Amino acid sequence: MPPTILDIALHAGTSKSTVSRYLNGGSVGKDTAAAIERAIEELGYAPNVNARRLVSHKSHTIGVVLDDISDYIYGAMLSGIQAGAHQHGYVCTFFSRRPTEATEASYLDLFKSRQVDGLIFATFRKRNPAEVMLLAQSGQPIVLIGEHSGVLRLPTVDVDNLSGTLEEVTYLIGQGHRRIAYLAGPSGMSASASRLRGYEQAMELAGIASEAALMERLENWTVDAGYQAARKLLARTKFTALAASNSYSAFGAARAMQEAGLSIPGDVAIAAFDDDILCTYTNPPLTTLSQPFSRMGSLAVSQLVEIMRGETEVTSTVYVQPKLILRESTGTLDRLKEA
Amino acid sequence: MPPTILDIALHAGTSKSTVSRYLNGGSVGKDTAAAIERAIEELGYAPNVNARRLVSHKSHTIGVVLDDISDYIYGAMLSGIQAGAHQHGYVCTFFSRRPTEATEASYLDLFKSRQVDGLIFATFRKRNPAEVMLLAQSGQPIVLIGEHSGVLRLPTVDVDNLSGTLEEVTYLIGQGHRRIAYLAGPSGMSASASRLRGYEQAMELAGIASEAALMERLENWTVDAGYQAARKLLARTKFTALAASNSYSAFGAARAMQEAGLSIPGDVAIAAFDDDILCTYTNPPLTTLSQPFSRMGSLAVSQLVEIMRGETEVTSTVYVQPKLILRESTGTLDRLKEA
DNA sequence: ATAGAAAACGGGAACGTTACCACTTTCGAC
DNA sequence: GTCGAAAGTGGTAACGTTCCCGTTTTCTAT
C-alpha cells in the first residue's frame, strides 16, 4: 500500500536503480535528483526497512539481553545503550530473561534469524561458564556488561568492583575505623566476589586481621536482606562502620542500626556500593560508590559497533571506575572538611 | 551463510514449498516432516525474519515511544509492555524522544518504513493537539498511555488521576484536616490538570472554600521544585496537610517542613501521587497513590493487538484506578487504627 | 571537431520467504 | 476395483530493495 521505490521511479520518470542510487548517495543527475526528491515528497515515500534488511543481510539492530527490564538500575544503562546505538545508526530491541528464564546461549538464535547484528548481555546474575563458552565460540559480535568467569574471553564492560570497594573501605579506615563489618553480595551475582575481595584487600593492606564474624552474606540484594543481615551482625559482634555491597541492603542495615538505638554516623558509619536516587534522600544521606551506568552502556555499544564493523580483532575488557560520593552516613560534612 | 529454507529442502529431499508449509503448520506427510525436522536440527536452521517480514508485510514489532527511557518510572511499565508483547508474539523496540526531541507525528514514518505494526505512545508530557490529530488521522494502530486533549479520540490507557487525587484528599479531610495545601504538577505534564481538579473537587465536596494561597504550581516534578514550592507555601500561609501531585516533590516538601522545624505528620501530614520504592524508606514513609504501571503497559498492548488484528472498531479509553497506600506521613499506624 | 574518460542511467538478478495453483498420490466408501 | 475427495507436493511469482554490469550521455582536453 505505501509507495515503493518503483512508484517513485515512475512518478519521477526514471528507473528503480536510479532512485536507489539517489537514496544511497550515489551520483545522479541534477534534475533527476530534483524530480526524485519531489516524487518522494509528494508520495510520502519511506524505504521499506525489511526489504533493505533482507538484501543487505543486516538488521541494523542491536539486541540487549537483561535479567529484568523493570529493575530500575537499568534506566541509565538503557539510556546509554539506546543513545549510543542511535548515534551509530542502530536500533535496539530488548529481551528480558525474567519471565522466560531462557539460557543466555539461546539468544544466539537471534543471529541465525537475522534479527540482530550484535548482542549486548547486560545481565548481572552470575553467568554459567559453559554458556559463556558457547557465546564465545559462536564467533558472533557479542559484548558483555558485568564480569564473567569464562575461560574464553569475551569483550566486556564492567565497573571495577574490586578497586572501588577497596577505595571505599580504605576511606573508612582512614577515618579511623578498625572494626568494619561487611555485607557481602549474594552468591548468585557476578559482582559479589570482586567486591568482597576489595573489602578483604583493604583490610589486609591496613594490616587489620580479618575476622569472619564481621562478614555477613546477603541472600539477595534487597532492603530486607540488608536489615536481617545487619541484625545478625549486631547480635554477634561490635563494629564502628559497615560497608554494604549494594545500596538497598545498606538502607535495610541503616534501619536496623536505628532501631537498635545506634546513630549514623555517630555510632556506626555506613557506606555502600551502587548509587541511586534514594541515597540522597535517606536519613542520613548515604555515602556510595556511584557507577557510571550510562557511560557503561555507550561504551558497550561502541565496542560492539567496532566488532561488527570488523575494525578490531582484540577482545578487550573495559573497566570503568566507580566514583566515591561522600555523604553524611560516613561523617558530617564538617568532619569531612577537617580531614 | 546460515542455511536457508532451500538448504533444508535439499537436505530433506523435498521442496521449498513443503518446508515452508511444515514451518507454518500446514499439512505435510509424516516421513517428510521427520526428514525436515532432522535437516533443521542438523543444519541449525532458523527462519530469516526479514524475509518473512518483507513478504508478509508485517514486522511483528511494537514500537514504544517514551519521553526518556532513563526515567525509572518507566521500569514497571516497560516490563508490562514487554511481557504483553511477548505473549502475543510481538517484539518491542523503544524510542526515546529525549535526545532527539522529535515530534510525536514524526514516528508515523515507522509505519511507512514497515518497522512497526503498531505504536504505543507512553509519553507523559502534555501532547500537542495538532499532533494528536495527525496521529488519529493516520488511521494506524496507535495506543496512548496518559491522557490527551485531542478532538479525535485515540485509544488510551490512563490512570484515573482525578478520582485518585479526590480519594486521597478526601482521606486527608476525613482525618480532620481543613487547610490542605496542594503542589500542582507542572503545566507541561498531561496529568497535572486532572490531579488538580481532583484536589479542587475534594475540597468542594467537603464544603471547604477554595483558597488560592494554598496552591503552588511546581516548575517540574523534581525534589528541588517540591522543596522550593513548599518553602513559598510556608512563608505565605498556614496548613496542616499537604498533597503533592507526585512523589519527588513530596520528598522536597517534606525536607522543607523538617527544616522549618515542623514534624511529619504531627504538624503537617503529607500525601502524594505516584508510589515508588523511595516512599517506603523515607522518614517518615510517605502515603501515596500507587499506579499499576505494569498493568497499564499490558493493557495498552492488549488493546493495540486487538486493533492490529482488526478485531475492534471502537476506540476505548481505559482508566485504571490508583491505589491509596497509607503510610506514616499521614498519621501513625496507631492513629490509623483508631479511625 | 574528436577521442577518451567520467558521469549518469536502466535492465535484471538476487536476497529468503510465503502464497497460489495445479498436479500427484493416498485413502475410504460403495 | 473404481471413483471421488482429501491430503500431500512442487513450480513459480511475488515482496521491495540493492548491486552488478553494460549502455548511453555528458564533459574535458587536445
Side-chain angles (χ1 to χ4, degrees):
Chain A
M1 204 59 140
T4 76
I5 209 174
L6 184 61
D7 297 320
I8 301 301
L10 262 36
H11 196 272
T14 177
S15 72
K16 288 191 309 175
S17 314
T18 304
V19 177
S20 173
R21 215 176 304 120
Y22 168 84
L23 290 171
N24 297 298
S27 59
V28 299
K30 201 156 178 257
D31 25 354
T32 353
I36 293 174
E37 199 155 356
R38 225 177 51 114
I40 289 177
E41 182 68 29
E42 282 178 19
L43 273 60
Y45 167 81
N48 182 320
V49 296
N50 297 317
R52 281 191 164 171
R53 287 171 178 174
L54 174 60
V55 68
S56 71
H57 301 280
K58 297 230 172 69
S59 65
H60 297 282
T61 301
I62 293 176
V64 183
V65 181
L66 313 159
D67 288 324
D68 181 357
I69 199 173
S70 73
D71 189 343
Y72 81 98
I73 206 94
Y74 282 120
M77 199 153 75
L78 295 193
S79 172
I81 291 176
Q82 178 102 355
H86 184 264
Q87 203 179 339
H88 287 97
Y90 285 87
V91 150
C92 290
T93 51
F94 297 107
F95 302 91
S96 261
R97 290 183 64 195
R98 181 46 72 74
T100 64
E101 295 297 336
T103 65
E104 296 196 303
S106 70
Y107 290 95
L108 288 173
D109 279 354
L110 294 173
F111 288 109
K112 283 202 269 182
S113 65
R114 303 289 177 156
Q115 264 190 88
V116 303
D117 294 344
L119 224 39
I120 294 178
F121 284 89
T123 51
F124 293 130
R125 284 185 280 180
K126 196 171 241 169
R127 298 191 170 98
N128 179 345
E131 295 241 29
V132 176
M133 179 78 87
L134 283 172
L135 297 183
Q137 283 174 342
S138 74
Q140 299 287 1
I142 292 175
V143 170
L144 266 37
I145 297 184
E147 62 194 88
H148 69 283
S149 52
V151 187
L152 275 62
R153 300 308 293 176
L154 274 164
T156 303
V157 173
D158 196 12
V159 69
D160 196 332
N161 290 296
L162 193 152
S163 86
T165 309
L166 181 72
E167 179 187 355
E168 186 171 72
V169 175
T170 300
Y171 170 78
L172 290 172
I173 294 171
Q175 293 289 95
H177 296 284
R178 282 296 171 272
R179 296 195 61 77
I180 304 173
Y182 187 70
L183 299 186
S187 50
M189 293 295 160
S190 66
S192 296
S194 309
R195 293 183 189 174
L196 176 57
R197 258 185 296 136
Y199 163 74
E200 292 170 339
Q201 286 192 14
M203 297 295 269
E204 199 177 326
L205 247 57
I208 304 174
S210 81
E211 190 174 320
L214 284 171
M215 202 274 272
E216 187 65 32
R217 183 168 293 278
L218 298 163
E219 283 197 25
N220 48 52
W221 269 335
T222 61
V223 177
D224 195 54
Y227 176 81
Q228 302 297 347
R231 280 173 58 103
K232 281 192 207 163
L233 282 169
L234 283 173
R236 181 206 296 160
T237 183
K238 295 222 174 300
F239 49 92
T240 65
L242 180 145
S245 53
N246 86 321
S247 55
Y248 282 6
S249 64
F251 301 145
R255 174 175 293 186
M257 301 296 142
Q258 287 166 338
E259 282 184 14
L262 299 171
S263 87
I264 303 167
D267 298 318
V268 178
I270 297 189
F273 213 105
D274 282 344
D275 191 37
D276 65 35
I277 331 173
L278 281 96
C279 298
T280 323
Y281 304 115
T282 49
N283 186 16
L286 194 63
T287 289
T288 56
L289 284 165
S290 166
Q291 299 195 46
F293 284 118
S294 170
R295 195 169 142 62
M296 288 169 71
S298 61
L299 275 173
V301 171
S302 306
Q303 205 168 161
L304 187 64
V305 169
E306 256 184 36
I307 296 170
M308 290 189 298
R309 290 204 189 124
E311 286 175 5
T312 179
E313 293 300 313
V314 296
T315 69
S316 54
T317 301
V318 177
Y319 282 106
V320 297
Q321 215 55 32
K323 194 173 160 195
L324 183 61
I325 298 183
L326 299 175
R327 299 202 186 87
E328 292 166 35
S329 70
T330 52
T332 64
L333 292 178
D334 292 357
R335 220 199 279 172
L336 293 181
K337 274 173 195 154
E338 285 172 34
Chain B
M1 204 60 141
T4 75
I5 210 175
L6 184 61
D7 296 321
I8 301 300
L10 262 37
H11 197 273
T14 179
S15 71
K16 287 193 309 176
S17 314
T18 305
V19 178
S20 174
R21 216 175 305 119
Y22 169 84
L23 289 171
N24 297 300
S27 59
V28 299
K30 203 163 177 246
D31 26 354
T32 349
I36 292 174
E37 200 157 356
R38 224 178 51 114
I40 289 177
E41 182 68 30
E42 281 177 20
L43 273 58
Y45 167 82
N48 182 321
V49 296
N50 297 318
R52 281 191 164 173
R53 288 170 178 174
L54 174 60
V55 69
S56 71
H57 300 281
K58 296 230 172 69
S59 65
H60 297 281
T61 300
I62 293 175
V64 183
V65 180
L66 314 158
D67 288 325
D68 181 356
I69 198 173
S70 73
D71 189 344
Y72 80 98
I73 207 94
Y74 282 120
M77 198 154 75
L78 296 193
S79 172
I81 292 177
Q82 178 102 355
H86 184 263
Q87 203 180 337
H88 287 97
Y90 285 87
V91 151
C92 291
T93 51
F94 297 108
F95 301 91
S96 261
R97 290 183 63 195
R98 181 45 72 73
T100 64
E101 295 297 336
T103 65
E104 296 195 304
S106 70
Y107 290 96
L108 288 173
D109 279 353
L110 295 173
F111 288 108
K112 283 202 270 183
S113 64
R114 303 289 177 156
Q115 264 189 88
V116 302
D117 294 343
L119 224 39
I120 294 178
F121 285 89
T123 51
F124 294 131
R125 283 187 281 179
K126 195 171 238 165
R127 299 192 170 98
N128 179 344
E131 296 240 28
V132 175
M133 179 79 86
L134 283 172
L135 297 183
Q137 284 174 341
S138 74
Q140 299 287 2
I142 293 176
V143 170
L144 266 36
I145 298 184
E147 62 193 270
H148 69 284
S149 50
V151 186
L152 275 61
R153 300 309 295 176
L154 274 164
T156 303
V157 174
D158 196 13
V159 69
D160 196 333
N161 290 296
L162 194 152
S163 85
T165 308
L166 180 71
E167 179 186 355
E168 185 171 74
V169 175
T170 300
Y171 171 78
L172 290 172
I173 294 170
Q175 293 290 94
H177 296 283
R178 281 297 170 272
R179 297 195 60 78
I180 304 173
Y182 187 70
L183 299 186
S187 49
M189 293 295 159
S190 65
S192 296
S194 310
R195 293 183 189 174
L196 176 57
R197 257 184 296 136
Y199 163 74
E200 292 169 341
Q201 287 192 14
M203 298 294 270
E204 198 176 327
L205 247 57
I208 305 174
S210 81
E211 189 175 321
L214 282 171
M215 201 275 271
E216 186 65 32
R217 184 168 292 278
L218 298 164
E219 285 197 23
N220 47 52
W221 268 334
T222 60
V223 176
D224 196 54
Y227 177 81
Q228 301 296 347
R231 279 173 58 105
K232 281 191 207 164
L233 281 170
L234 283 173
R236 181 204 297 161
T237 183
K238 295 222 175 299
F239 49 92
T240 65
L242 180 145
S245 53
N246 86 323
S247 55
Y248 282 7
S249 65
F251 301 145
R255 175 175 293 185
M257 302 296 142
Q258 287 166 337
E259 280 184 15
L262 300 170
S263 88
I264 304 167
D267 298 319
V268 178
I270 297 190
F273 213 104
D274 281 344
D275 191 37
D276 65 33
I277 330 174
L278 279 97
C279 299
T280 323
Y281 304 116
T282 48
N283 186 14
L286 194 64
T287 288
T288 56
L289 284 165
S290 167
Q291 299 195 46
F293 284 118
S294 170
R295 195 169 142 62
M296 288 168 71
S298 61
L299 275 174
V301 171
S302 306
Q303 204 168 162
L304 186 63
V305 168
E306 255 184 36
I307 296 170
M308 291 189 297
R309 291 205 189 122
E311 286 174 7
T312 179
E313 293 300 312
V314 296
T315 69
S316 55
T317 300
V318 178
Y319 282 106
V320 296
Q321 215 54 33
K323 194 174 161 195
L324 183 60
I325 298 183
L326 299 175
R327 299 202 187 86
E328 293 166 33
S329 70
T330 51
T332 63
L333 293 178
D334 291 357
R335 220 199 281 172
L336 292 182
K337 274 172 195 156
E338 284 173 37

